[in-house]
Amino acid sequence: MLKGKNVLLAVTGSIAAYKTAFFVRLLVKEGAEVQVIMTNSAKDFITPLTLSTLSKRPVIIEPFDPETGEWSNHVELGRWADVMVVAPASANTLSKMAAGIADNFVTTCYLAAKCPVFFAPAMDLDMFYHPSVQKNIDILQSYGNLLISPQEGELASGLCGAGRMEEPDQIIQVLSDYFAEAKELHGKKILVTAGPTYEPIDPVRFIGNYSSGKMGFSLAEVLARKGADVTLVTGPTVLDTPARIKNRIDVHTAVQMAEVCYDLARDSDVVVMAAAVADYAPVSIAKSKIKKSEEVTSLELKKNPDILAELGKRKKKGQILAGFALETDNEKENAFAKLQNKNLDLIVLNSLKDAGAGFNTDTNKVNVLFKNGEIKEFPLKDKTLVAGDIAAIIKDLLDS
Ligand code: PMT
């Protein structure tokens, strides 16, 4: 998986830098082109000569050589790399990366990198668990950078715990798995919907539901990680766009969501409707805030379009349509009815009877129902892992 890949390896100041000699050797053996860049402190732990010799390329430490006037182009390198690996990533470098500080060649290249960036922290356990370090790791992950967690064991300080940089052969495995996964859905166009719809009553009130968008956003992220070209259509949510999602369309109402989805679905290989679309909307929207004194005691409602049912009618040959069913009673029976009525290939059932499942939680417990009557049951998991299970099912269906 690493043959012919351009790897930009950033080595920073930690005793674990000694492991990068083995890491570079393994990368070269795998057929990767390796460009090593280092911070000045990293030189105290491993010599540039060692890494230049193993990588067969001069190591870059300074962006500019005042004697020769030569400079190294961080933007070019950032675009050359298929992947950047910061290993070991010291607490100091992590904090600069999280804050966007570009005061050396490593952090400058990091900001310029257009490729996926992995980082493998290495430090003493108390440093690793310091809230600022943990916060920086969270920030970096929220930018889409990929954490290679440190291992537990004896540390240079003599203490025992988390902080040991992952072993080079394991990092190779992580990178290989990443490139393998990124091929799984390459070339597939996938439309994912997420969040609630808000149906306005007047300028300050609406009919809505508790959907946070987490399930749909997780799905979009995992499908994009597998190489799919994902468009995320979402109702109102506070969630940030996942790093790999380039196309996000925000809508408010079911009618707006319907228009966007009908258009995008024509060109999609897969449609996954995780949105909690309101079934009804007020017949009329008051132009001004309805006053208490107006004594409105009932609202006249009209039916919203059933987007998924319409997509089921318009389904193209070979297209996969996946719905969700949020149920409270007779769950499987109701979900199977939706699967059939809406002409779906699969439906993901979540029940509000299961603690930790459904709306506005970080977890979900789902059963996936297929049109041949088969049911796959999954335990309660983080929504990212649930998304992984659903994405694997979609891939199998596309391959079959
Ligand atoms: O966003 P989270 O807080 O993470 O919560 C996730 C979730 C509970 C919203 C999600 O897992 C989920 O179950 N989404 C679908 C909720 C829902 O609307 O279920 P339903 O059984 O009413 O609808 C069945 C399917 O038809 C759904 O795929 C829905 O998107 C679609 N539908 C429904 C009504 C409608 N008018 N148009 C539709 O397309």
Side-chain angles (χ1 to χ4, degrees):
M1 279 297 159
L2 296 177
K3 196 169 164 34
K5 294 279 187 250
N6 293 337
V7 180
L8 182 60
L9 171 61
V11 184
T12 74
S14 153
I15 177 62
Y18 83 89
K19 292 185 185 177
T20 55
F22 300 100
F23 183 43
V24 171
R25 183 75 197 109
L26 288 176
L27 284 168
V28 171
K29 261 174 94 177
E30 292 285 325
E33 282 287 321
V34 187
Q35 174 62 62
V36 179
I37 57 180
M38 289 173 101
T39 60
N40 267 306
S41 348
K43 285 193 299 186
D44 294 335
F45 297 97
I46 185 159
T47 71
L49 181 61
T50 305
L51 297 177
S52 302
T53 310
L54 291 169
S55 65
K56 305 183 178 74
R57 282 169 177 262
V59 168
I60 307 171
I61 299 165
E62 297 294 348
F64 178 68
D65 183 339
E67 279 172 23
T68 62
E70 272 181 36
W71 69 291
S72 299
N73 191 329
H74 54 285
V75 176
E76 240 170 51
L77 259 188
R79 285 171 181 261
W80 167 85
D82 295 308
V83 62
M84 179 174 184
V85 186
V86 186
S90 66
N92 186 41
T93 295
L94 287 182
S95 73
K96 290 182 191 176
M97 286 164 66
I101 294 171
D103 66 346
N104 63 36
F105 196 60
V106 164
T107 50
T108 315
C109 281
Y110 164 70
L111 289 183
K114 301 286 288 174
C115 57
V117 178
F118 287 81
F119 62 103
M123 64 200 74
D124 211 62
L125 84 161
D126 294 323
M127 291 172 75
F128 181 66
Y129 284 120
H130 193 281
S132 62
V133 172
Q134 290 298 315
K135 193 169 174 197
N136 288 332
I137 289 174
D138 287 348
I139 291 174
L140 289 174
Q141 286 183 291
S142 76
Y143 296 156
N145 302 149
L146 298 142
L147 169 68
I148 302 175
S149 296
Q151 296 304 302
E152 301 215 350
E154 194 182 332
L155 302 163
S157 61
L159 295 173
C160 228
R164 287 167 66 101
M165 187 182 97
E166 181 55 283
E167 295 305 321
D169 58 337
Q170 291 305 309
I171 301 182
I172 294 280
Q173 191 59 51
V174 169
L175 298 181
S176 301
D177 289 350
Y178 174 84
F179 283 114
E181 190 183 20
K183 278 187 172 175
E184 286 181 14
L185 294 173
H186 182 74
K188 299 294 176 198
K189 284 195 161 188
I190 304 190
L191 165 61
V192 178
T193 66
T197 63
Y198 284 180
E199 311 299 333
I201 297 168
D202 69 11
V204 297
R205 304 178 180 93
F206 59 85
I207 297 175
N209 59 64
Y210 296 114
S211 172
S212 61
K214 284 181 189 170
M215 191 64 251
F217 274 55
S218 297
L219 260 165
E221 183 170 16
V222 170
L223 291 165
R225 200 173 72 203
K226 289 182 181 295
D229 175 0
V230 177
T231 300
L232 175 61
V233 177
T234 179
T237 170
V238 295
L239 298 180
D240 291 330
T241 312
R244 287 183 197 80
I245 301 296
K246 302 288 170 270
N247 308 314
R248 166 176 170 165
I249 300 172
D250 286 82
V251 295
H252 259 76
T253 64
V255 168
Q256 288 167 357
M257 187 174 274
E259 275 170 21
V260 174
C261 288
Y262 297 158
D263 184 32
L264 290 170
R266 270 190 259 134
D267 200 23
S268 299
D269 300 294
V270 180
V271 179
V272 189
M273 291 274 316
V277 185
D279 286 316
Y280 294 93
V283 169
S284 58
I285 305 167
K287 285 208 168 58
S288 313
K289 185 180 173 189
I290 300 170
K291 299 282 177 220
K292 242 193 277 181
S293 54
E294 289 173 44
E295 300 261 339
V296 176
T297 52
S298 63
L299 272 178
E300 201 186 342
L301 300 177
K302 61 180 180 203
K303 256 195 159 175
N304 270 332
D306 187 324
I307 306 171
L308 196 50
E310 184 57 36
L311 293 179
K313 285 185 198 146
R314 301 180 184 194
K315 190 166 154 187
K316 296 186 303 180
K317 194 166 179 284
Q319 188 178 52
I320 290 173
L321 269 193
F324 271 71
L326 182 63
E327 302 293 338
T328 51
D329 307 285
N330 300 326
E331 291 97 329
K332 285 183 182 154
E333 207 181 315
N334 289 336
F336 264 125
K338 284 177 186 170
L339 175 86
Q340 273 162 5
N341 297 341
K342 301 189 189 208
N343 190 21
L344 308 180
D345 296 276
L346 64 109
I347 194 155
V348 181
L349 164 64
N350 37 196
S351 169
L352 288 183
K353 276 190 184 153
D354 291 320
F359 282 135
N360 215 359
T361 51
D362 288 336
T363 52
N364 207 356
K365 182 175 182 307
V366 303
N367 288 337
V368 180
L369 283 57
F370 298 87
K371 57 182 176 187
N372 63 1
E374 192 197 336
I375 301 180
K376 279 194 176 152
E377 300 195 358
F378 295 91
L380 185 75
K381 294 180 185 188
D382 190 276
K383 278 184 176 160
T384 318
L385 299 177
V386 175
D389 293 333
I390 298 167
I393 288 172
I394 289 171
K395 184 190 174 302
D396 285 349
L397 284 178
L398 284 167
D399 290 347
S400 65

